[in-house]
Every structure is written in structure tokens, then in C-alpha cells.
Amino acid sequence: MLSSTLSFSLMGVCVKALGGRIPVAEVVMARSAISLLLSVVMLRQAGLDPWGQRKGLLILRGAIGTGALFCVFAALATLPLAPATVLQYLQPTFTALLAWLLLKERLGAKVWIAALLGWMAVVILSNPMELTGMLGPLGSTWLGVQASPLPLGGVLLALAGALLSACAYVSVRALGRTEHPLVIVFYFPLVGLVLTAPMVLLQPVWPSSWELLALVGVGLFTQLGQIGITKGLLGMPAARATAMSYGQVPLAALWGWLLFQEPLDPDTTTAAILVLTATLLSLKPERRKSA
């Protein structure tokens, strides 16, 4: 899970570096093509049958994951790196709720509190000027940085990406009962390539040498992240596994500051603290009542 955190943060850097000129469908297709090639090589080395047993659920997981990528990549192109990542990391709370509904995994009061904290973070990020205005002059600046509202469209895309990611992770948890992790990873880019290729062929944009390098980075780091998170999800409950990857948020803030000159404003910091608290609540097991 921790290795996937670093990989996904570097994937976000590569997507952000593209600057939005390459269409999202083309970014997803490039990611799918590279990841699919790597998956085939790894499956052959392991001597595994790539097609698995529950093909319908494997295809559904691939489709949901592809939809999540569309939303996440579009949000990264629209929002600064740190707040886009903060919103994406509402997924542990979404995952806990979905695992409770679909997999009957135990859910306690702490996860409900986590959900409330997570939505408070969303409100702060989506409309910070009104909230910081209530706090006076100290509420709108931090270390000399002025808070600014985020585009609502970008916030909604990030939220959709978080929800679809949670759906994908819960499906991975269900598939882990019958499928090998490499088979699950293989279906994701396979379905993504099938879904995105027609869109790209209708209106292709030829990348520059730098953009091509960034696209390769997207595919490589996403593949490494998927392998790490798939194995992590099969080794512990879904909510706890995804909560461990929250370290991507401070990494995103660091990359945004170092590489894209994105200041860390007070609302992003407040939201990050709220989401971190929510994540830790989702991670911490409930106390069992004595007999």
C-alpha cells in the first residue's frame, strides 16, 4: 500500500505535467496500453491464465476503474495538485461505506464520523471564501498565502473519481476470493483500452517528445501503483487498506510546491487535516464489546 502511494503521487505529477493539451481519453488510453503490455509480460512470467474465473465482475471492475481514471485525470488537469489529491482521498470513507453495504464488512460509529469530516473538507475546498470570511482576516490567509475558491466542476470530478475508485476497490476485495492479483490488474487496462481507443481514433492529438515521456510515466507509475494497491487490498479489510495510502496527500503538496509553484493555502491545509482525521478513524478498528 505504501509503495502504491509513492507511485500514484508520481502518476499525478505526470498527468499535471501534460498541462491539459492532451485529451483525457488519450491519457487514459496511453496508460491502458502501457499497463496492459506490462501485465501480459508479468502474467507470462508467472505462468497464469489471464482470463480468470469471474469474467463479468472482472470486466465491470475494469469499466469502473476506467471511469475513475477519466474523472481523476480531468480533476488533476483542472485543480491544483494538492486539493485534487485531498478530494480523491475521500475514497477510504466511501470504500468503508460500500464495503459495509456490499461485503458486509463491519462498520462502526467512527466511520460515520469520518464521513462527516470528509464532507466538511469538501465544503471548505469547494467554497472557501465564504467560510474563511466568517473567521475574519486570519481565516483567509496562512503564511502570506491567500485562499481562493476551487472550480466547482473540478471538485465534482474529483468527488466522482473518489466514489468510482471506492467502487473499484470494493470489487477488487470481492474478486480476491477467486482471482489472482495479476489477473485483476490485467483486466483494468484491457477494458480501458477497449473503451478509450474509439474516442481517441475520432480525434487524435499527437504528443510532443516531452508529452510522450509524461504519458509513459503515467502508464508506468499507474501500473506499479495498481500492483501495490491490489495486493494490499487482498491482505487486509478494504477500508483499512485504502486508508494507508493517505500519504499521497503530503506528497502531492510537496510535488505541487516544488514542480508547479502551487502554494499550500489555508483551506487545502484545513481540508487535508480533516480528511486525514477521517482516514485515521476509518483505519482504527472498533473495540469489541466484552461478552
Side-chain angles (χ1 to χ4, degrees):
M1 292 302 300
L2 293 176
S3 69
S4 75
T5 296
L6 177 60
S7 298
F8 283 133
S9 74
L10 293 173
M11 177 210 73
V13 169
C14 292
V15 173
K16 193 70 179 175
L18 288 168
R21 192 184 78 88
I22 304 296
V24 174
E26 194 163 331
V27 179
V28 176
M29 189 190 78
R31 176 265 174 207
S32 299
I34 295 168
S35 187
L36 182 61
L37 178 61
L38 294 173
S39 295
V40 170
V41 171
M42 296 175 74
L43 283 166
R44 286 188 175 180
Q45 288 179 342
L48 294 171
D49 176 13
W51 303 113
Q53 301 178 45
R54 303 166 70 185
K55 296 179 178 61
L57 186 55
L58 284 164
I59 292 172
L60 179 62
R61 183 265 182 274
I64 294 172
T66 300
L69 277 184
F70 264 92
C71 294
V72 170
F73 288 176
L76 284 170
T78 306
L79 303 174
L81 197 55
T85 306
V86 168
L87 290 169
Q88 174 65 14
Y89 272 80
L90 286 170
Q91 69 190 29
T93 303
F94 287 150
T95 302
L97 294 171
L98 289 170
W100 168 62
L101 287 171
L102 303 176
L103 303 180
K104 309 304 179 185
E105 291 186 3
R106 186 178 178 180
L107 185 65
K110 291 176 182 177
V111 176
W112 294 110
I113 298 173
L116 177 61
L117 292 175
W119 284 111
M120 287 174 62
V122 173
V123 172
I124 289 173
L125 284 174
S126 59
N127 194 14
M129 296 306 286
E130 291 183 8
L131 292 173
T132 53
M134 297 177 186
L135 302 177
L138 293 178
S140 58
T141 60
W142 182 69
L143 296 179
V145 178
Q146 181 74 26
S148 57
L150 296 176
L152 180 59
V155 172
L156 293 176
L157 282 169
L159 287 176
L163 180 57
L164 288 173
S165 295
C167 293
Y169 294 154
V170 171
S171 67
V172 168
R173 186 79 180 150
L175 285 166
R177 299 165 184 167
T178 58
E179 310 296 340
H180 191 279
L182 288 178
V183 173
I184 301 173
V185 172
F186 165 75
Y187 266 85
F188 188 2
L190 177 65
V191 174
L193 190 61
V194 171
L195 291 177
T196 55
M199 304 180 196
V200 175
L201 290 174
L202 287 174
Q203 196 173 5
V205 175
W206 189 253
S208 66
S209 56
W210 166 247
E211 289 169 336
L212 184 61
L213 181 62
L215 287 172
V216 172
V218 170
L220 178 61
F221 289 125
T222 306
Q223 177 74 357
L224 293 174
Q226 282 297 319
I227 292 171
I229 205 166
T230 299
K231 290 187 175 182
L233 283 166
L234 299 182
M236 63 180 71
R240 296 185 192 178
T242 51
M244 289 187 65
S245 60
Y246 184 82
Q248 188 180 333
V249 173
L251 282 174
L254 176 63
W255 301 143
W257 176 64
L258 285 176
L259 302 177
F260 305 106
Q261 291 75 53
E262 296 176 352
L264 189 60
D265 64 41
D267 300 294
T268 300
T269 304
T270 303
I273 292 171
L274 287 172
V275 175
L276 174 59
T277 304
T279 300
L280 292 175
L281 286 173
S282 298
L283 173 64
K284 190 174 181 180
E286 296 285 332
R287 290 183 180 180
R288 293 185 178 182
K289 294 182 180 179
S290 57

